[in-house]
Amino acid sequence: QVQLVESGGEAVEAGGSLRLSCSASGRPFNMYVLAWFRQALGKEREFVAGVDKSGVRKNYADSVQGRVTISRDDTKNTAYLQMKALEPEDTAIYYCAARYQPYITTDATTYDYWGQGTQVAVSS
C-alpha cells in the first residue's frame, strides 16, 4: 500500500501559477502509476493528468492540455502538478491517486489509493 498526501493548493488569481505536490509513503514509489484528479463543487471527479511508472509517458485532460505538467521524483517520493494560466474553471479539490497496474487510465475507479485532496481556488 501507499499513503498519499497532497499539498500546495491555495487561492490564486486567474492567470497565475501553482504547483501541487503529492508526497507518498509506504511501498516503493516507482511501483505506482500516479495521477491527478479534480472535483469541483457539484461535479463528478475528473481526470487531470497521469504519469506512468517510468515517468516517461504522460496523459493530460483536454481541459488542461498545454497549461499543466505532471512529473514525479521517485527519489523524493513526490509527484507534482505544475499549473499555469489558471482559470476559474480550474477551481476544485485536487486529488493525487496511485494504482499498481502499469497503465495510465482516466477512470478514477481504477486507482487504488487516494490522498485527502488539496483545494485550489482561482478567482477572476
Side-chain angles (χ1 to χ4, degrees):
Q1 64 175 313
V2 62
Q3 296 79 44
L4 306 172
V5 179
E6 304 94 335
S7 63
E10 62 180 78
V12 63
E13 294 183 356
S17 299
L18 206 57
R19 188 178 75 164
L20 307 182
S21 298
C22 173
S23 178
S25 61
R27 295 194 68 190
F29 195 57
N30 62 4
M31 290 186 175
Y32 298 93
V33 168
L34 301 171
W36 289 91
F37 289 78
R38 68 186 183 186
Q39 187 164 19
L41 184 64
K43 301 184 70 176
E44 295 183 343
R45 189 166 298 188
E46 65 176 356
F47 176 81
V48 177
V51 59
D52 72 357
K53 296 180 180 182
S54 72
V56 174
R57 290 190 173 186
K58 300 176 182 179
N59 191 20
Y60 298 99
D62 290 343
S63 60
V64 300
Q65 187 74 242
R67 301 189 297 115
V68 165
T69 301
I70 187 171
S71 61
R72 63 189 299 160
D73 185 343
D74 292 344
T75 67
K76 298 180 179 179
N77 288 350
T78 303
Y80 304 96
L81 188 71
Q82 180 69 53
M83 301 184 289
K84 65 179 181 181
L86 286 164
E87 305 168 351
E89 292 74 22
D90 296 317
T91 295
I93 299 174
Y94 284 71
Y95 297 91
C96 181
R99 79 188 219 115
Y100 181 75
Q101 295 181 14
Y103 305 108
I104 302 169
T105 77
T106 61
D107 184 354
T109 66
T110 69
Y111 287 80
D112 302 307
Y113 304 102
W114 294 84
Q116 85 288 349
T118 186
Q119 178 72 58
V120 172
V122 184
S123 60
S124 60

